[in-house]
Amino acid sequence: TTLGARATPENTSTQRPSPQYDSMAQNAAVQQAIQGALLQSLQVAEEKIDNELEKLEKLDEDDLESIRRKRIEEMKQAQKMKQKWAVQGHGTYEEISDQKEFFKKVKGSKRVVAHFYRASTWRCGVIDKHIKKLMKKHMETKFVKVDAEKSPYLVEKLHIWMLPTLVLINDGHTEHSIVGFDEYGGNDDFSTETFEQVLLAHGAVLERYV
């Protein structure tokens, strides 16, 4: 009778997965979680569309006419608000050079985003680029820029310690300061959509203003 080979420590020990295997497993789990979240989001959106379609099917001519009149009134109101904001300097990206003028400009608008910058800091240029893309879209918010080196009083009063910094002002009061790029994901190449979503999250801009 042939006896089997005696087990050696090499073939009885349990090998642990390599760090690369652990990383692959973690990435797979993250991807699965993302896919699940996206699927759930799509299902919610689909259900919302189905509900809206069902409501529309039940509307009669009087209901449709009422909706049309309401929408026209909303459009008229939105146009009036845009005209008022334009007079206040909304829709532009003004630089405030006089520190005393800053408070006057801020008090005249409900929502203000003030970009404290330095010309030699190239990341401030990234913020400039995104603001210029949004300033016409979000007429409800006034966008201004302030040269931090020329405004020591404002820098001290508003606790500006890193550039770029966006100071978000509501009804004349500082609500929040976005310091650097961390809230945009910590990358230099974040999109204007990401920039907009951060401002939306803080109420600095609105999805709708009518």
Side-chain angles (χ1 to χ4, degrees):
T1 303
T2 303
L3 298 176
R6 178 174 295 181
T8 62
E10 287 77 7
N11 57 35
T12 58
S13 61
T14 303
Q15 294 185 351
R16 297 187 61 183
S18 66
Q20 183 179 4
Y21 178 85
D22 289 341
S23 178
M24 290 174 63
Q26 290 175 357
N27 289 337
V30 169
Q31 289 296 327
Q32 187 175 4
I34 292 174
Q35 290 174 2
L38 287 173
L39 181 59
Q40 185 178 4
S41 178
L42 289 172
Q43 289 174 340
V44 170
E46 186 177 355
E47 289 176 2
K48 185 176 181 180
I49 292 173
D50 289 341
N51 290 335
E52 292 298 324
L53 289 173
E54 185 178 352
K55 290 179 182 178
L56 287 174
E57 290 174 355
K58 294 178 180 180
L59 294 175
D60 56 25
E61 290 186 8
D62 290 339
D63 292 327
L64 291 173
E65 179 61 22
S66 176
I67 291 174
R68 188 183 73 85
R69 287 198 301 267
K70 181 180 179 182
R71 183 56 187 152
I72 291 175
E73 186 59 35
E74 287 178 346
M75 291 171 66
K76 289 180 179 178
Q77 185 179 352
Q79 187 59 32
K80 288 180 181 178
M81 294 173 73
K82 284 182 178 180
Q83 291 173 350
K84 176 184 175 183
W85 288 328
V87 171
Q88 295 175 338
H90 293 221
T92 64
Y93 187 30
E94 178 185 2
E95 177 156 5
I96 300 177
S97 55
D98 186 346
Q99 296 184 83
K100 295 179 181 178
E101 189 74 7
F102 177 82
F103 296 101
K104 181 180 177 181
K105 296 285 186 181
V106 165
K107 290 180 180 178
S109 300
K110 179 176 176 60
R111 281 171 294 275
V112 179
V113 173
H115 174 206
F116 281 79
Y117 80 101
R118 180 172 51 214
S120 60
T121 303
W122 70 268
R123 283 188 173 88
C124 294
V126 175
I127 297 296
D128 285 339
K129 175 187 71 175
H130 293 307
I131 288 178
K132 288 175 182 177
K133 289 181 179 180
L134 291 180
M135 64 187 189
K136 295 290 186 183
K137 178 180 179 181
H138 289 286
M139 288 287 290
E140 74 279 6
T141 300
K142 186 171 190 175
F143 292 94
V144 299
K145 61 189 303 185
V146 180
D147 189 330
E149 291 185 329
K150 296 179 181 179
S151 307
Y153 172 75
L154 292 177
V155 166
E156 181 179 357
K157 185 173 181 64
L158 297 175
H159 309 291
I160 308 297
W161 58 275
M162 179 186 289
L163 300 174
T165 288
L166 292 184
V167 178
L168 312 183
I169 302 163
N170 190 288
D171 282 333
H173 301 287
T174 302
E175 293 285 319
H176 179 69
S177 291
I178 302 175
V179 180
F181 284 3
D182 285 350
E183 291 194 44
Y184 314 120
N187 301 312
D188 297 333
D189 59 349
F190 59 91
S191 66
T192 301
E193 289 73 21
T194 297
F195 182 71
E196 181 180 29
Q197 287 300 316
V198 173
L199 295 182
L200 280 166
H202 290 295
V205 297
L206 304 177
E207 290 190 26
R208 290 189 61 184
Y209 46 81
V210 176

